[in-house]
Structures are given as C-alpha cells and as structure tokens.
C-alpha cells in the first residue's frame, strides 16, 4: 500500500499520460474507465511505453456498487479523479448529463474513500474557473468568476465539494489542479488525444487540418485587445501536466501538504496567441496550414494565463517542454492515428 494509485478516467487523454509518468516513477496504477470517450488502445500504449501493463477495470464511476468492488478488491491510498465529460458546448445543450456524470462520479469516489479509509485525492480542475479574469496572470487567489457553462460549473462545484469533504473528514487530503490548455502527446506517439467528431479545441483542429481531414482552420477573432488581435492562452504540454500529478501525489503520500485541501495552477506561465501557435506548428513541422480569420467564438475570453509560482515553489514543479517539441509531438500523434 502507499505506492498504488487509482486513476479514474485513466484511458483518456490526460489520464493515460499521467499513468505513464506514475509507472515510470514507481507507482502501481489501477485504471477505471467506462471508455465513454476513449478506447483500450491507450491502455496498450501505456503498456508499450512503460513495459508495465496497468490493471484496467472497465466501470462507470457513477456506479457505486461497481466502484465498491474496486475499493474492496484493490489496495491504494491515492486516487486521481479524471473521469468526466469535457465538451463545453455539449454541456450547454445537455446540462443534466454533465451535472450527473461529473458530480455523481466524484461524490461516489469521495464517499467510498471515507468508507474505506483511503486518504489522498487529486481532482482535475480547470482554468475555466477563472472565467474572464480582471488581473493577469491569475494566481490561485484570483477570485473565481460565475461559470459561463454547465461544464465550468461542474468544476467549481466539484472543487467546493472536495474542500467541504476534506473539512469534514480528518483523514482525507485533497488537491485540485487547475489545468490551463493541455496540448501535445507523448513523444513516442503511442498515446495522445482522441477527439470524437469535429474538434472544439485548437490543436486537434490544427492537426486534423494539416492531415487534410478539415479543410481550413478558423481563427476565432483577430480584433481582440491583444498584441496581434487573437486570444492569449497558456498551452501546457500534456507530459509536463502529467508530471505535475506525480509530484502532487508524492506530496500527499508523504504528508508534505500544508493544508489538507490545496489548489495549484498548472500552466507554463507564458501567454501564447492563436497566431503564434499556428506559426509555431508550421515551423516545428515544416508545413503550411490552411487557415482564415473568422468571427469571435461566443464564450471565449480574451486572455488567460497562469501565475505558476505556487506550483514551482510548493510542488517543485515547472513546465519544461519546449512549445515546438510539443507541437511536433501533436503532429506525430495525428499521423500515428491516421496510419
Ligand atoms: P478525456 O475525455 O480524454 O478523458 C476522460 C476519461 O474519463 C475518458 O477516458 C472517459 O471515457 C472517462 N469517463 C468519463 N466519465 C466516466 C465515468 N462516469 N466513469 C468512468 N470513466 C469515465 O478527457 P481529458 O482531456 O483527459 O480530461 C481529463 C480531466 O481533465 C477531465 O476531468 C477534464 O474535465 C479535465 N480537464 C481537461 C482539460 C482539457 O482541455 N483536456 C482542461 C482542464 C481540465
Ligand atoms: C484556444 C484558443 C479559441 C479552435 C477550452 C475549455 C476549457 C479547457 C480547455 C477543460 C481560443 C481559439 C480554437 C479553433 C480557434 N477545458 N480557437 N479556432 O477555449 O481556451 O479552453 O479547453 O476544462 O474549459 O473552454 O481552448 O483549444 O478551444 O481554444 O481560433 O478552431 O484557440 O478562440 O482563443 P479554450 P480551445
């Protein structure tokens, strides 16, 4: 016990990369996923990269009896809870689906942790909780803004649920990691992001355009009050992000957390515009991308990027991967998927 981690949603994009980093750091990994937005290929990828096959249980985290069996039959004292739906637009159209899946899955896990005396939990939160922030970069103390989508609201509500569960249970400790914009793929090209249908996010749209699956990338707005008129974001390499989970689990496992509930921004601390990202992709991969400027997308904020001082100092973590390496890995993954 102690070196095992339950990873919910571990067949997904960030979960699979985190499983690799955990295994490479000596943790035993148990993955639970219902494959609603992933497939078993990522489990194979994890095995190929690490040489270790993680235990995989196909189950729904909202199914309390199935999850009870997972807790009964497996020894771990840390849980990383990735399992959730994440499409912002879909959450506006189908809010109940999002509230049910994202909140019920987490509450189920937390209740079982209390019942079975499992101590540590990491939660996947998002920079979306900051909304259109008044001061940039945002620190963990920057006030959250009222959510503009049910998806964003599930992240705020889940953070509050975690805070309250920790306050009420002396033997639970939790960390919420607020991810900025995760991009890229494992350098082996054996795992990566698998968007279903038309991608909403910028980098999968770029790679699919480069692959000829989409005709043309639309850049949503060049008239923002930013240096080149396009939006600014903090794009974090998924492997760097995965490593942040390992150090956060280490911190909880070693009891080094100062408070039993903590929040950390996980970003690079560097704002990058849409035009810069597109140019960076073209240069990193020596190709030309078909793109045009389109009207602003409803709901987009002009700019958001992280102050990462807290994660740097407290977790001893910082983003290391170079943006061009990240954009090369994204393209390698896209080509691998199309093979
Ligand atoms: P993903 O869809 O690739 O991974 C989520 C995984 O959870 C999928 O494999 C899916 O099958 C699984 N899942 C969903 N509901 C489940 C349930 N009820 N029971 C079991 N498995 C379930 O998404 P991701 O990009 O890896 O995101 C992981 C987490 O990080 C999510 O909580 C997401 O909201 C959060 N997050 C993602 C981003 C991003 O841009 N990718 C940014 C901030 C936060
Ligand atoms: C990035 C930039 C777009 C697509 C979303 C969620 C957020 C978090 C991360 C989960 C923006 C521009 C995009 C395109 C474009 N997810 N863009 N053309 O919106 O910052 O964040 O993913 O928690 O909650 O909202 O990411 O990748 O969609 O957009 O010009 O085809 O790229 O306008 O400026 P976003 P994104």
């Amino acid at each position: 016990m102690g070196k095992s981690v339950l990873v919910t949603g571990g067949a997904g994009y960030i979960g699979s990369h985190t499983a690799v980093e955990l295994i490479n750091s000596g943790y035993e990994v148990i993955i639970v996923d219902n494959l609603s937005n992933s497939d078993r290929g990522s489990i194979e990828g994890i095995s190929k990269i690490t040489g270790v096959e993680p235990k995989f249980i196909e189950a729904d985290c909202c199914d309390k009896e199935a999850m009870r069996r997972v807790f009964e039959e497996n020894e771990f004292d840390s849980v990383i809870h990735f399992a959730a739906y994440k499409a912002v637009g879909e959450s506006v159209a189908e809010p109940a689906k999002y509230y049910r899946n994202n909140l019920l899955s987490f509450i189920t896990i937390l209740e079982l942790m209390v019942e079975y005396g499992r101590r540590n939990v990491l939660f996947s939160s998002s920079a979306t909780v900051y909304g259109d922030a008044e001061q940039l970069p945002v620190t963990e103390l920057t006030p959250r803004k009222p959510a503009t989508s049910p998806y964003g609201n599930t992240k705020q509500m889940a953070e509050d649920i975690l805070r309250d569960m920790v306050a009420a249970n002396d033997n639970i400790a939790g960390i919420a990691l607020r991810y900025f914009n995760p991009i890229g793929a494992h350098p082996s090209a054996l795992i990566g992001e698998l968007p279903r249908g038309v991608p909403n996010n910028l980098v999968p749209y770029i790679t699919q355009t480069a692959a000829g699956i989409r005709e043309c990338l639309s850049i949503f707005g060049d008239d923002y009050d930013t240096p080149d008129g396009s939006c600014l974001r903090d794009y974090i390499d998924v492997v760097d992000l995965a490593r942040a989970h390992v150090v956060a689990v280490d911190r909880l496992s070693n009891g080094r957390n100062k408070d039993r509930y903590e929040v950390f921004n996980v970003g690079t601390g560097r704002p990058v515009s849409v035009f810069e990202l597109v140019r960076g992709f073209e240069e990193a991969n020596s190709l030309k991308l078909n793109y045009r400027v389109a009207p602003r997308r409803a709901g987009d904020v002009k700019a958001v990027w992280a102050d990462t001082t807290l994660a740097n100092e407290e977790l001893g973590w910082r983003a290391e991967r170079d943006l061009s390496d990240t954009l090369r890995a994204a393209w390698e993954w896209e080509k691998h998927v199309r093979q």
Side-chain angles (χ1 to χ4, degrees):
M1 194 115 154
K3 284 300 258 183
S4 293
V5 184
L6 178 70
V7 181
T8 75
Y13 174 44
I14 304 168
S16 58
H17 289 80
T18 301
V20 165
E21 298 306 313
L22 285 167
I23 293 169
N24 286 343
S25 303
Y27 283 96
E28 189 194 329
V29 168
I30 302 146
I31 291 176
V32 170
D33 200 300
N34 64 359
L35 304 180
S36 56
N37 196 38
S38 52
D39 59 41
R40 284 170 192 269
S42 57
I43 308 292
E44 282 167 31
I46 296 166
S47 307
K48 276 192 195 151
I49 294 167
T50 61
V52 175
E53 195 177 335
K55 181 164 182 182
F56 174 62
I57 303 159
E58 185 173 344
D60 188 325
C61 295
C62 301
D63 179 344
K64 195 158 187 182
E65 285 323 302
M67 291 311 296
R68 184 182 296 287
R69 281 194 295 280
V70 172
F71 275 72
E72 290 273 357
E73 292 167 8
N74 295 281
E75 297 217 326
F76 51 83
D77 47 30
S78 300
V79 180
I80 308 182
H81 184 63
F82 291 104
Y85 296 147
K86 63 167 180 177
V88 176
E90 187 185 55
S91 82
V92 175
E94 296 180 72
K97 176 176 169 179
Y98 275 69
Y99 286 114
R100 171 176 289 277
N101 193 49
N102 294 6
L103 298 181
L104 194 57
S105 63
F106 195 35
I107 292 168
T108 303
I109 295 289
L110 290 168
E111 282 179 338
L112 290 168
M113 287 182 64
V114 173
E115 194 177 324
Y116 287 87
R118 312 294 168 90
R119 184 180 165 80
N120 309 317
V121 57
L122 284 194
F123 173 68
S124 301
S125 190
S126 167
T128 192
V129 302
Y130 295 114
D132 201 358
E134 263 136 50
Q135 273 198 326
L136 292 165
V138 290
T139 77
E140 291 77 357
L141 297 176
T142 300
R144 297 183 321 191
K145 285 280 182 70
T148 54
S149 72
Y151 168 75
N153 209 16
T154 68
K155 292 299 173 195
Q156 297 205 358
M157 292 168 84
E159 283 190 355
D160 293 348
I161 290 168
L162 178 56
R163 179 202 59 205
D164 294 348
M165 287 295 283
V166 167
N169 296 281
D170 287 345
N171 56 353
I172 299 239
I175 290 180
L177 296 179
R178 291 178 177 159
Y179 316 155
F180 281 68
N181 287 58
I183 62 165
H186 195 268
S188 65
L190 291 168
I191 51 173
E193 191 170 7
L194 267 186
R196 296 193 171 170
V198 182
N200 296 306
N201 295 117
L202 180 59
V203 170
Y205 209 104
I206 287 177
T207 58
Q208 291 197 7
T209 305
I213 298 154
R214 310 284 155 209
E215 214 179 296
C216 181
L217 169 76
S218 294
I219 294 185
F220 297 139
D222 67 350
D223 56 353
Y224 285 96
D225 176 20
T226 59
D228 67 17
S230 67
C231 295
L232 299 171
R233 294 289 183 274
D234 185 333
Y235 296 96
I236 173 79
D237 184 281
V238 68
V239 176
D240 279 334
L241 173 58
R243 283 192 304 104
H245 292 77
V246 178
V247 293
V249 170
D250 288 344
R251 179 181 178 87
L252 290 171
S253 303
N254 300 332
R256 285 200 310 269
N257 45 310
K258 290 191 176 145
D259 296 308
R260 281 187 303 107
Y261 173 62
E262 297 176 307
V263 177
F264 293 100
N265 285 343
V266 189
T268 65
R270 189 163 82 89
V272 171
S273 77
V274 180
F275 285 118
E276 281 177 280
L277 197 91
V278 168
R279 237 185 348 266
F281 182 83
E282 290 182 327
E283 281 166 16
N285 297 300
S286 308
L287 48 76
K288 282 277 162 219
L289 199 70
N290 196 16
Y291 66 85
R292 65 185 172 97
V293 173
R296 293 180 178 194
R297 180 172 71 176
D300 275 344
V301 299
K302 172 180 79 173
V304 62
W305 71 94
D307 180 321
T308 62
T309 310
L310 199 64
N312 300 157
E313 291 180 356
E314 288 296 322
L315 297 177
W317 171 92
R318 64 181 62 248
E320 286 170 1
R321 297 258 295 160
D322 186 72
L323 183 60
S324 58
D325 291 339
T326 303
L327 294 171
R328 247 191 304 278
W331 180 225
E332 289 306 316
W333 166 247
E334 181 70 52
K335 288 190 286 186
H336 172 86
V337 172
R338 305 295 150 203
Q339 269 169 16

